[in-house]
């Protein structure tokens, strides 16, 4: 069936602008209104659905045949065309073939060998920062492990290492709606980043790194050489800001909820739960889109073939239908079913690494820091990511 051409046929509908400065500064009231309007709500201004409730979001993410990723997971066509062929935008069964190769260095057993190095790096950095007592937990702490370790593990050259953070933030901004300043500047950066990876010479990559391993998998016929090149972006694009924002938001929440920090210090076995709860409450990626391949009833709302739906992980994670008192940061809450890492076949392939980086830092801090005082904080508005750009903290040593 051909999709009806007029937006009036989609209901419920609203003219909220999810990419306005107001909403991006504090998106949560808007998310709540969307959840109250229905399991899927037509964003008339942008011509796409918002799926804001926990159960509807999970059911859409599980149904990759109806909610395909192959037409891209951004809002605009230019970003979707640029990302064609990467793992994030491929459907099963091809997607699973790529993911098997991609995951080789990221399985928990492989990550065990990384633990010691991450710990040594984090210890040294925390030592330096504690001497200062006051520091920027974003640029001086949260950036450190992802930038040092991920770019090194992938085996990038100095140029790649230095530019990756700028590129990754640009890529995510470029995923917004057409015509918005943040989208336009992000798309320029997207071109530059894909251009770099498309032209990178295999010899420029560290022969022991993950990037080189992709090309070796291609030599062995597990994937094609084109796929290997495209998958470099899967290692780099989603690995940096996500983890950086995850760690800085966790520290921000700990500064604002000192009783939760005390609790964690008494029982550091809660660190994993504390990270999940931080991801739930301040999801680093607000949402990605899917293209609808056939007419579909999503919990009573009809979505039409040819529509696009924005799955709002950040809203689903605060759904009062699923979480009691959802605005509260509670590290004893069972929030392991949050979807900050996605859900279903595209669930984050790097989540064990991301959580390991965050838990390494928290593990050291719970032993050495009695209290985190927030001195100053700042956010840069972003089309897809949520996180702090600045978090000056003063720490009291234990
Ligand atoms: C706190 C840190 C992280 C968060 C919050 C996060 C979030 C996400 C989310 C929401 C998705 C789902 C995409 C979708 O539904 O289409 C995803 C997928 C993905 N993430 Fe992460 N991510 C994190 C860390 C990482 C790291 C460290 C890496 C790389 C080493 C990574 C690589 C990927 C890849 C490759 C996918 C696509 C998986 C697939 O298509 O099968 N992520 N991530």
């Amino acid at each position: 069936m051909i999709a009806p051409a007029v937006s009036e046929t989609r209901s419920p509908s609203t003219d909220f602008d999810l990419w306005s400065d107001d909403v991006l500064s504090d998106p949560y009231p808007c998310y709540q209104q969307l959840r109250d309007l229905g399991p899927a709500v037509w964003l008339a201004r942008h011509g796409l659905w918002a799926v804001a409730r926990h159960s509807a979001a999970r059911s859409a993410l599980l149904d990759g045949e109806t909610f395909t990723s192959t037409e891209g997971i951004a809002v605009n066509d230019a970003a979707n065309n640029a990302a064609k062929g990467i793992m994030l935008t491929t459907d099963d069964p091809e997607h699973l073939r790529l993911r098997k190769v991609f995951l080789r260095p990221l399985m928990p057993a492989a990550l065990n060998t990384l633990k010691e190095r991450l710990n040594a790096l984090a210890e040294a950095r925390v030592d330096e920062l504690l001497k200062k007592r006051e520091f920027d937990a974003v640029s001086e702490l949260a950036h450190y492990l992802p930038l040092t370790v991920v770019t090194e593990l992938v085996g990038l050259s100095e140029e790649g290492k230095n530019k990756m953070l700028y590129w990754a933030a640009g890529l995510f901004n470029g995923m917004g709606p057409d015509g918005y300043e943040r989208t336009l500047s992000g798309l320029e950066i997207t071109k530059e980043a894909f251009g770099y990876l498309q032209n990178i010479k295999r010899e420029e990559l560290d022969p022991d790194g993950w990037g080189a391993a992709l090309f070796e998998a291609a030599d062995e016929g597990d994937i094609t050489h084109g796929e290997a090149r495209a998958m470099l972006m899967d290692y780099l694009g989603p690995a940096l800001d996500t983890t950086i924002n995850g760690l800085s938001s966790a520290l921000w929440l700990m500064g604002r909820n000192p009783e939760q920090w005390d609790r964690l210090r008494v029982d550091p076995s809660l660190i994993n739960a504390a990270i999940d709860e931080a991801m739930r409450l301040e999801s680093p990626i607000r949402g990605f889109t899917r293209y609808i391949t056939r007419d579909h009833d999503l919990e009573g709302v009809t979505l039409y073939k040819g529509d696009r739906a924005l799955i709002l992980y950040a809203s689903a994670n605060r759904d009062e239908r699923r979480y009691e008192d959802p605005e509260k940061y509670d590290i004893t809450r069972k929030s392991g079913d949050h979807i900050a890492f996605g859900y279903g076949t595209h669930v984050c392939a790097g989540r064990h690494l991301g959580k390991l980086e965050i838990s390494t830092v928290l593990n050291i801090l719970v032993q050495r820091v009695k209290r985190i005082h927030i001195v100053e904080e700042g956010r840069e508005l972003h089309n897809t990511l949520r996180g702090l750009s600045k978090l000056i903290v003063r720490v009291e040593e234990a």
Side-chain angles (χ1 to χ4, degrees):
M1 181 176 164
I2 306 289
V6 286
S7 60
E8 285 76 18
T9 58
R10 270 78 161 183
S11 154
S13 167
T14 168
D15 73 346
F16 288 162
D17 180 357
L18 260 63
W19 292 269
S20 69
D21 287 1
D22 280 352
V23 171
L24 289 178
S25 312
D26 181 14
Y28 299 116
C30 175
Y31 294 163
Q32 180 171 8
Q33 290 181 57
L34 286 172
R35 289 193 298 272
D36 288 346
L37 281 167
V41 179
W42 183 247
L43 301 177
R45 227 181 250 246
H46 296 107
L48 86 159
W49 293 98
V51 178
R53 290 185 187 171
H54 189 261
S55 68
R58 282 177 35 126
S59 112
L61 292 171
L62 265 192
D63 180 0
E65 283 187 18
T66 308
F67 294 84
T68 176
S69 294
T70 41
E71 298 296 324
I73 59 171
V75 175
N76 72 78
D77 291 344
N80 286 331
N81 289 334
K84 275 215 170 6
I86 70 171
M87 194 172 79
L88 265 159
T89 60
T90 306
D91 282 343
D92 292 338
E94 289 75 21
H95 160 258
L96 287 177
R97 179 175 54 82
L98 301 178
R99 189 165 161 119
K100 220 163 123 191
V101 173
F102 182 93
L103 278 176
R104 284 177 191 161
L106 286 166
M107 297 310 280
L111 291 183
N112 262 335
T113 54
L114 241 187
K115 268 189 184 160
E116 223 169 284
R117 176 159 158 64
L118 284 174
N119 203 49
L121 283 169
E123 286 266 13
R125 176 51 61 115
V126 169
D127 267 348
E128 277 170 40
L129 294 175
L130 292 190
K131 279 187 208 133
K132 292 170 60 167
R133 291 194 54 229
E134 193 169 304
F135 56 88
D136 183 352
V138 179
S139 63
E140 295 181 89
L141 183 58
H143 279 190
Y144 184 61
L145 286 186
L147 266 184
T148 314
V149 175
V150 175
T151 54
E152 187 184 299
L153 288 171
V154 176
L156 286 193
S157 66
E158 279 312 305
E159 186 201 355
K161 282 186 189 168
N162 293 335
K163 287 203 123 170
M164 208 55 228
L165 197 56
Y166 164 75
W167 284 336
L171 283 163
F172 282 117
N173 254 334
M175 297 174 88
D178 282 326
Y180 284 57
E181 182 43 44
R182 276 182 283 270
T183 309
L184 294 171
S185 61
L187 282 171
E188 282 306 307
I189 300 171
T190 302
K191 265 190 234 151
E192 195 183 318
F194 275 97
Y196 168 78
L197 292 180
Q198 264 145 23
N199 294 315
I200 203 170
K201 295 200 178 62
R202 193 171 162 174
E203 315 76 79
E204 286 172 40
L205 294 167
D206 176 345
D208 298 322
W210 298 351
L214 288 176
F215 287 101
E216 279 155 29
D219 294 341
E220 282 155 26
D222 296 337
I223 52 176
T224 67
H225 284 89
E227 285 169 340
R229 190 169 285 285
M231 282 164 72
L232 284 173
M233 187 53 93
D234 288 300
Y235 275 135
L236 294 164
L240 303 176
D241 305 79
T242 49
T243 314
I244 291 169
N245 291 0
L247 174 56
S248 32
S249 292
L251 295 173
W252 178 73
L253 286 165
M254 288 301 182
R256 290 167 61 103
N257 298 277
E259 77 294 345
Q260 298 294 317
W261 185 245
D262 290 342
R263 177 111 211 212
L264 195 62
R265 294 193 62 230
V266 172
D267 183 1
S269 74
L270 288 171
I271 282 181
N272 242 323
I275 296 173
D276 273 325
E277 179 66 351
M279 298 293 113
R280 180 188 73 77
L281 209 53
E282 285 295 316
S283 308
I285 297 183
R286 73 191 310 214
F288 286 138
T289 73
R290 298 291 193 261
Y291 179 85
I292 319 287
T293 59
R294 53 192 174 205
D295 291 1
H296 181 73
D297 180 307
L298 185 64
E299 300 190 345
V301 174
T302 307
L303 280 54
Y304 295 94
K305 177 178 173 175
D307 288 350
R308 194 169 272 286
L310 172 66
I311 317 293
L312 281 167
Y313 316 120
S315 167
N317 287 338
R318 289 190 178 218
D319 189 350
E320 38 293 283
R321 290 155 197 79
R322 165 63 194 89
Y323 302 104
E324 210 181 303
D325 206 357
E327 319 270 301
K328 188 169 162 204
Y329 185 55
D330 174 3
I331 65 173
T332 62
R333 186 200 294 276
K334 303 263 173 291
S335 57
D337 67 346
H338 70 76
I339 57 167
F341 291 110
Y343 186 61
T345 194
H346 287 281
V347 68
C348 179
R351 64 195 185 286
H352 299 300
L353 174 61
K355 280 176 116 175
L356 177 63
E357 292 173 79
I358 298 173
S359 65
T360 303
V361 174
L362 289 183
N363 247 313
I364 298 169
L365 292 178
V366 285
Q367 289 161 40
R368 303 192 49 188
V369 170
K370 195 161 80 186
R371 190 63 80 235
I372 299 170
H373 299 280
I374 298 175
V375 177
E376 198 187 332
E377 60 186 70
R379 284 181 194 276
E380 243 165 61
L381 301 185
H382 195 287
N383 277 343
T384 310
L385 299 169
R386 177 163 172 89
L388 295 142
S389 51
K390 186 203 262 184
L391 179 66
I392 311 290
V393 292
R394 188 163 38 77
V395 289
E396 269 176 62
E397 281 198 62

